[in-house]
Each structure stands twice: as structure tokens, then as C-alpha cells.
Amino acid sequence: MIIRIPWRLQIVIAFLISTISGNPLFLQQSGRNIKPVIKWRPPMDTWNWTETPRNDEPFFKPSNFTHKLPPSANETELIAHMAALKRNYSRLLWDSDKSSNLPLFVDKALKLLNLKQVYYEVEHSVMSKVSCTACKAGAGLLQHYMRLGKSKEEINKMIYQFCVSLNIQSARVCEGITRLFGSEVVYVLKRITIGPDEICSFVIGDACGDVYNPYHEWEVAFPPVPKPAVRPLEAPIEKAPTFKVLQISDTHFDPYYAEGANAECNEPLCCRASSGPALTPGGGAGRWGDYRKCDTPKRTIDHMLKHIADTHTDIDYILWTGDLPPHDVWNQTKEENLKVLQETVAQMSDMFPGVPIFPALGNHESSPVNSFPPPYISSSESNIAWLYNELDAQWRRWLPAGVSHTVRRGAFYSVLVRPGFRIISLNMNYCNNKNWWLLLNSTDPATELQWFIYELQSAEFNGEKVHIIGHIPPGHSDCLKVWSRNYYAIINRYESTITAQFFGHTHFDEFEVFYDPNDLGRATSIAYVGPSVSPYYDLNLGYRIYYVDGDHDATTRLVVDHETWIMNLKEANLFGYPIWYKLYSTRSAYMMPSLRPQDWDKFIDDMTSKEDVFNLYHKHYWKNSPRRGTCDGECRKRLICDARSGRSHDRRALCGHIEARIDGAAPTPQTWRAWLYNGLSVSPSVQQV
């Protein structure tokens, strides 16, 4: 999930200081040559990925279930199903609370600096020039204090004092964030030679310009093997054997969730005993969770897992795509995060005995959050071995022993699931632009992408099809642009081998399509972005079920269909009991013949030209949340562009024609089908996406 607090402390405070003091120094010096405080170069990475053992024995033995697929796009069945849903779920009293839960910023500062806009952009990872300016101010301020010879302790004290005096957060949040993040940021900034322009282009992306930076321009090397001729991708055979696959993502289990606690606190995470009692009627945390800035109580996770185990008794394997700890990022320790990891692994093992589980690492598993130093950071205080070694110990109950060497090195691995079918799990934190360690050297951290190419080339030689799992979607704005460009090139090169990708992180129900870089009209791959279990925030809880082309002579290993299941949080708290139900089946809801990349590209075209199709997608994107609000033209362009962007920070190339079409399109009259779809939930405009 997207992290807010470190940005507000390191960027917004700095912007306040420099602007209120009237000192323009920090905005001017980005063009100067900044001398390094410490002469430091990261050591060379000598790891040889070609000499590591490779998993070549099929790991998964299917249970030979006969899966009943969702109905195809039959008009009569579809309308009957949607009408039934409308009858069953139209009795809710939708929430009209318009509270934005913003911290109590100083009024003068809000008017002067438009901090509200910066806060919104950081919260939603939708950056503009406003956040870019704030970033440059903050980076310049910190580098200025370092040149003055200020110690780490003095800089941390300054950050804490301004955080408290300006009421940016409570004193304990200010203290915790300063303690957790201050030392790391100072360590990194002391060892880089680039200025604010380069730093903020690196961290924020295209909203801050594509500033050339030779330290962060690199390309992976491909083996001298020609790309096989691309053959037309055939749709999977109807009624062929399938695997039924569960995806769970972003559980964000909060062990300190307290029913009735203040859900409207002025901190990044509420609904805990430490949040205090509710201050207003209706301000208390719900029994099963809350739409406000609250994570998932244990009883809700228990109920969901039991529901899945009872309802989907024929699951073949599980994809678990990360983010286990809660959002109390100012108050976390390594010990607490490891405890959450151990408890949730044990819970998954108990609920799904004998079912293979393939996990991926989220950005919240580390402490501090987003902190994933590459292997060359070897000091005991800073390295990440404490987490990777424990991941290896916990994951080995599901994974073959041969993957330990890559899990301990970088939390990535490759497993041959069935003959001719492989799953590769990537550590997407090495593309996370909130990972400050990458400012030191972003060149293929942990040599993960080069290892990835080796695995894919071996799979191509062996005639294997590959599924990729990870946490942060590669086209998301949180993914470093140079890393994403290299990843995009890899997907294009091995498009005949990679048949699906699976990610989480955004908490929404969405997807990303990849295209041929030389022909942006030809779709080459599809990445599925699964919904979160956590309601954080304004969301219903959800999980995904996929049907994957199974074992037969003509298998494609494509996703045949997928379903999203949700629990309506308002209804659960209103009636005292959760009801999990299938929100939609993809082929039926979107009238898609199959789920090949070209079918998803056609669906993007339909969303662009047909307002009712987009409105249905928008409802599913929000997991039918009653707090989703309306989506205007800019919102529509952003969501459709997100679906077309497997490559981050390149919207001009990928989405220009879509934006032009939406800007020039006349409003589409609402059809009876659109009325039926949209009538399934009444959703007042409470939050603009």
C-alpha cells in the first residue's frame, strides 16, 4: 500500500520551512554542483546468477478437481444474475459522511502553500508540479543542513520540532517517524552527489520531468538468442481442465484493532485502543472493520479465510501477494513485523492444509516501511538479512528447498509448478521509488532482473510457460521508471513464454496491459492487480479467484476467467455479520470472449468510447464501495490510462490518444443495461478518485 508519512516529514515540512522563512536558497541550488560529503562507492556485485541451482522438478501435484467455470457472456443469464444481486443488496443505507480525515494543518500554511493538494497527491500517488516543487525544496533543505555540518541528531531534532509545531501529526507520530526514517535518509543523502532536480525526478517520476541522471540510467543485458517468431495467441479451449487459483493480497492485519475505538483520529492509522475513545456519535470503529483509515481486525481475517475454505473447497494453489503488517508506520519494529509474518503464515497453513501457497514480498514487511537495502549494504544495523532469512524459514513449508539461496539474497524465487509451467516470484521493492536506498545505486538491485532474464531464457529453451507474481505493479507510479522500462523490455522479449502476471499493492480491483514497444497498438501481456483484504481506506474487502488453463495437450496456461468476491463492510457492521459474495465474473460482466492481452486491449477501447462500460469497471475497481463517489473526465482518463500502462511514468506515449478521445467525446446516453448495472449500488459523491 502507498505510504504517506515519510513524504510529509521529509518534503512538506521542508517546503514549509523554506517558504515561510522567505529563503529561496533551497529552490535555487538544485542546478549547482553539490559536492559529496562522504566519498563513497557501493562495492561491485559479484553474484553469478548462472551458477545457482535451478528448480527443475515439478513441485505441484493437482488434486484433479472438476471446476465449474463462471457462466460466459450470455445475455439472459447475465441480466438475471445482476437483477438478483440488486434485489439482495439494495436494502443498505449508504454512508454520506464526507469527512476527508485530513490532519489539522495550520490554516495559513494551507492557503500559502496549498499543502492540502500536496497531501492529497501523496495519499493517492497522483503527483503534479506542486509535489515536485515541495520535493525539491525538501531535498535542498536537507542537503543544505548537511553542508553546514549539522549532525544526524541535529537534523532529526529539527524535523521533529517542525512536525510538532506545525501540527502535521501528533507528537508520538512525529517522534516515531523521525526515529525510524531520519537516520536512513541522512545516511543516503550524505553519500550521493546529485541535487534536488535529479533526486525528485527519481522519486516522483514524470511529474518532475525526465531529468537525465547517468547514475540512474541502465539497461539489462539479453542473451544473444533471437526472439522467437510471434504466433497469434489462441483462446483457451472451452471446457478444458483448469486450475482454480486464489489470490489474497494486502491483508494488513492489525493486532491492536479495537471495536469502538476512535476511527476519526488525526493519525495515519486509527481504530486502535491507542486512538482513544470515539469523540462523536458514529465515530467508533466498526466490529468487522471500518471505511476510515483503519486496517483489518483478526476476527474479519478469520471469517474470510473460513469462508474461503468452506466455499472454495477445490482450490488448487494460492497466490499471496504481500503487505501483511498494518499501516502504523511510525510505530513499527522488526520484532513486531516478524511476529505478524509468523502468525499469518501459521494461519494460512492451518486454514489451507496441503494447498501449495506461492508468496511474494510486500513493501510493508520491512521496518522501516519501504526500506529494502540491496545486498551490498552489509552493516548489521542497516542490512535486510533479518527479514529475508525469516522469509526463507517461513516460506520453506510451501516452497522447494532449492529456492533458499535466492530468497535469502533478495526475496525472489522460481518454482516449476507442473511440467511446462513455472511461477516466478519477484521482489518488487527493488523498483519502489520510496525505497531511499536505491538513490545510492539503482542499477538492477540484487541482480534480480538479470537473474529473471536467465530464468525466462531457460524456460523458453525448455518450452515452459511462466506466471509472474509480485507486489507493486510495474506500471504503477510507485515503480521506479528506469526499472519499469527494463522490466517492460523483458516482458516484450519473452511474450511467448509469460502468459500472466499477478500483483497487489493498490488495494483496488484493476489490471495493466503491456504492448509491443515498437507497435503500441499490439498488446503482448496482461498483469492482474488483485483487490485488498484491508478496507484501508473507503473500500470493501475482497479477494480474487482465477481459473487457469490446466493440464492438457493444448494448454495455453492463460487465465480463462476470474472472479472478484467481496464483503460489504457497511452491511456487516449494520447487521452484525459479514456476507461474502461474488461481485462479478469477468467474461460475463464485460462481455469478453476470452482474457488474452488483445481482449483486454479491446476492453480498454470499449471503456474509452462507452461510458456505461467504464462506469461498470469503476464500480468493480472500488469493490462496490458506497464511498467511491463519482468519476469525472480527468478521473476517467487516469483510470483508463492506468489500465494501459504496464510501464510507469510514460503516460504521454501510452495514453495520449486515449485522453484525446475522451476529451473529444460527447456524453453517451445511458442505456437500460447501464441503469441496471449502476443501480446495484447508490453511491453519493463522497470522495473524488
Side-chain angles (χ1 to χ4, degrees):
M1 178 65 189
I2 303 147
I3 299 306
R4 291 96 175 163
I5 303 305
W7 278 79
R8 289 212 296 273
L9 291 174
Q10 299 157 19
I11 296 175
V12 178
I13 297 176
F15 196 18
L16 280 168
I17 298 168
S18 58
T19 307
I20 294 175
S21 65
N23 185 353
L25 170 66
F26 312 116
L27 297 179
Q28 295 175 349
Q29 58 190 357
S30 60
R32 300 178 183 176
N33 292 324
I34 299 176
K35 297 180 180 180
V37 177
I38 298 175
K39 292 182 179 180
W40 182 85
R41 293 289 184 274
M44 294 294 293
D45 190 345
T46 59
W47 183 55
N48 188 343
W49 61 92
T50 64
E51 295 181 356
T52 58
R54 192 165 184 268
N55 173 243
D56 288 321
E57 291 295 326
F59 181 68
F60 165 56
K61 296 180 180 179
S63 301
N64 296 317
F65 292 119
T66 301
H67 303 298
K68 183 178 180 181
L69 293 175
S72 59
N74 177 283
E75 185 82 4
T76 303
E77 292 178 348
L78 175 66
I79 299 306
H81 173 66
M82 301 299 276
L85 283 180
K86 184 175 181 180
R87 287 194 303 272
N88 292 338
Y89 294 95
S90 62
R91 63 183 184 274
L92 302 183
L93 304 174
W94 303 115
D95 197 335
S96 60
D97 177 20
K98 298 186 178 182
S99 171
S100 63
N101 297 314
L102 286 173
L104 300 176
F105 290 118
V106 178
D107 289 340
K108 179 180 178 181
L110 280 171
K111 295 175 183 177
L112 179 63
L113 302 175
N114 200 6
L115 291 181
K116 185 175 181 179
Q117 181 177 348
V118 176
Y119 177 89
Y120 177 89
E121 291 176 2
V122 172
E123 287 277 307
H124 294 81
S125 282
V126 182
M127 300 298 181
S128 74
K129 294 295 183 183
V130 175
S131 294
C132 179
T133 301
C135 173
K136 291 178 180 178
L141 175 70
L142 290 172
Q143 291 186 319
H144 171 70
Y145 273 102
M146 291 172 190
R147 283 193 299 275
L148 291 178
K150 298 290 185 182
S151 67
K152 176 181 67 177
E153 290 73 21
E154 289 174 313
I155 295 174
N156 286 349
K157 184 177 180 181
M158 178 271 297
I159 294 174
Y160 169 76
Q161 289 174 339
F162 275 93
C163 178
V164 172
S165 62
L166 295 174
N167 288 324
I168 290 178
Q169 280 294 335
S170 65
R172 64 176 179 175
V173 172
C174 292
E175 187 278 330
I177 289 297
T178 303
R179 171 178 49 82
L180 282 172
F181 293 90
S183 298
E184 177 179 303
V185 172
V186 170
Y187 179 95
V188 170
L189 291 182
K190 277 187 175 182
R191 288 162 173 79
I192 59 177
T193 59
I194 58 178
D197 281 348
E198 293 83 3
I199 291 172
C200 295
S201 177
F202 178 92
V203 171
I204 289 182
D206 50 5
C208 241
D210 193 5
V211 179
Y212 176 72
N213 182 347
Y215 295 102
H216 299 288
E217 291 293 335
W218 49 273
E219 291 184 356
V220 292
F222 290 95
V225 180
K227 178 179 177 178
V230 177
R231 299 177 180 177
L233 191 59
E234 299 295 333
I237 298 172
E238 291 289 341
K239 298 183 179 180
T242 59
F243 295 144
K244 186 174 182 180
V245 182
L246 166 68
Q247 183 188 11
I248 295 178
S249 195
D250 297 87
T251 47
H252 291 290
F253 160 52
D254 186 359
Y256 302 107
Y257 187 98
E259 180 183 358
N262 186 10
E264 299 172 338
C265 70
N266 64 341
E267 294 182 338
L269 183 66
C270 305
C271 297
R272 328 180 96 196
S274 59
S275 304
L279 302 178
T280 62
R287 176 171 177 77
W288 297 99
D290 204 282
Y291 285 122
R292 289 159 289 196
K293 290 189 178 180
C294 306
D295 274 320
T296 322
K298 185 176 187 300
R299 65 168 62 92
T300 305
I301 294 178
D302 290 342
H303 192 278
M304 179 193 71
L305 294 180
K306 186 175 188 309
H307 152 78
I308 294 172
D310 292 343
T311 306
H312 307 286
T313 58
D314 53 349
I315 290 173
D316 289 296
Y317 62 88
I318 298 171
L319 306 178
W320 195 16
T321 47
D323 265 11
L324 314 182
H327 287 86
D328 59 336
V329 296
W330 75 94
N331 192 41
Q332 291 180 332
T333 65
K334 296 175 181 178
E335 293 74 21
E336 282 278 334
N337 282 16
L338 290 180
K339 185 178 180 182
V340 169
L341 169 66
Q342 293 158 0
E343 289 182 359
T344 51
V345 165
Q347 186 180 38
M348 292 289 286
S349 295
D350 292 342
M351 292 301 299
F352 303 103
V355 179
I357 299 178
F358 300 99
L361 180 63
N363 61 300
H364 271 265
E365 272 78 300
S366 186
S367 177
V369 67
N370 294 322
S371 176
F372 293 87
Y376 60 72
I377 303 297
S378 57
S379 68
S380 58
E381 179 183 354
S382 300
N383 73 16
I384 196 70
W386 66 271
L387 176 59
Y388 292 174
N389 291 345
E390 185 63 26
L391 288 176
D392 180 45
Q394 295 297 322
W395 289 356
R396 68 177 56 178
R397 69 187 66 194
W398 301 311
L399 303 177
V403 306
S404 285
H405 61 285
T406 54
V407 172
R408 286 178 176 265
R409 174 178 172 80
F412 49 85
Y413 62 86
S414 173
V415 174
L416 187 67
V417 179
R418 297 290 296 138
F421 178 39
R422 181 174 295 274
I423 288 178
I424 297 178
S425 178
L426 295 178
N427 182 355
M428 301 299 289
N429 293 295
Y430 291 135
C431 89
N432 186 355
N433 55 17
K434 308 298 189 297
N435 182 5
W436 282 83
W437 293 103
L438 299 185
L439 277 167
L440 294 172
N441 183 2
S442 68
T443 306
D444 194 8
T447 326
E448 180 182 29
L449 288 182
Q450 210 63 60
W451 166 85
F452 183 41
I453 291 173
Y454 171 72
E455 286 290 324
L456 290 172
Q457 187 59 63
S458 299
E460 181 181 279
F461 284 150
N462 293 332
E464 298 169 358
K465 299 299 183 183
V466 173
H467 284 182
I468 300 165
I469 66 173
H471 182 66
I472 300 174
H476 192 272
S477 60
D478 283 350
C479 189
L480 192 64
K481 57 187 174 183
V482 64
W483 197 100
S484 181
R485 290 170 186 170
N486 278 281
Y487 182 87
Y488 204 83
I490 295 171
I491 298 300
N492 178 67
R493 166 59 185 83
Y494 295 100
E495 65 171 287
S496 299
T497 297
I498 299 165
T499 58
Q501 308 171 57
F502 305 87
F503 300 96
H505 184 64
T506 72
H507 289 206
F508 295 101
D509 189 279
E510 50 184 324
F511 65 95
E512 293 178 354
V513 178
F514 290 66
Y515 295 85
D516 184 342
N518 299 315
D519 179 7
L520 292 177
R522 188 178 74 85
T524 60
S525 188
I526 175 68
Y528 298 97
V529 183
S532 65
V533 174
S534 173
Y536 191 97
Y537 60 98
D538 283 344
L539 293 171
N540 285 321
L541 296 78
Y543 64 87
R544 278 257 186 95
I545 295 289
Y546 299 91
Y547 297 90
V548 174
D549 205 3
D551 285 344
H552 59 95
D553 291 342
T555 184
T556 63
R557 303 300 185 188
L558 290 169
V559 172
V560 177
D561 206 349
H562 76 69
E563 307 168 341
T564 290
W565 289 65
I566 68 167
M567 182 262 277
N568 189 293
L569 186 54
K570 183 165 183 68
E571 183 178 60
N573 287 333
L574 185 64
F575 296 103
Y577 190 79
I579 298 175
W580 297 86
Y581 69 97
K582 182 170 66 176
L583 177 62
Y584 73 100
S585 296
T586 305
R587 288 203 300 166
S588 176
Y590 298 146
M591 302 291 182
M592 297 173 70
S594 61
L595 302 187
R596 297 167 297 176
Q598 59 263 44
D599 299 310
W600 284 108
D601 179 55
K602 173 62 167 57
F603 178 65
I604 291 175
D605 187 67
D606 288 344
M607 284 200 292
T608 305
S609 59
K610 301 174 183 177
E611 188 174 352
D612 58 343
V613 174
F614 173 79
N615 289 340
L616 178 60
Y617 173 73
H618 181 245
K619 184 186 78 172
H620 295 159
Y621 175 90
W622 278 87
K623 292 179 281 184
N624 202 22
S625 169
R627 297 170 66 96
R628 72 179 181 268
T630 58
C631 189
D632 62 12
E634 290 303 311
C635 160
R636 183 178 176 188
K637 286 188 290 187
R638 180 174 68 82
L639 293 191
I640 295 177
C641 184
D642 287 347
R644 205 177 191 276
S645 298
R647 186 170 63 206
S648 68
H649 307 289
D650 204 4
R651 303 176 86 85
R652 182 177 299 178
L654 295 170
C655 303
H657 68 291
I658 287 177
E659 296 180 350
R661 285 177 60 190
I662 294 175
D663 287 338
T668 304
Q670 189 178 52
T671 64
W672 63 270
R673 180 185 293 154
W675 173 86
L676 179 61
Y677 288 155
N678 297 330
L680 291 178
S681 67
V682 181
S683 53
S685 179
V686 295
Q687 177 178 319
Q688 185 63 45
V689 178

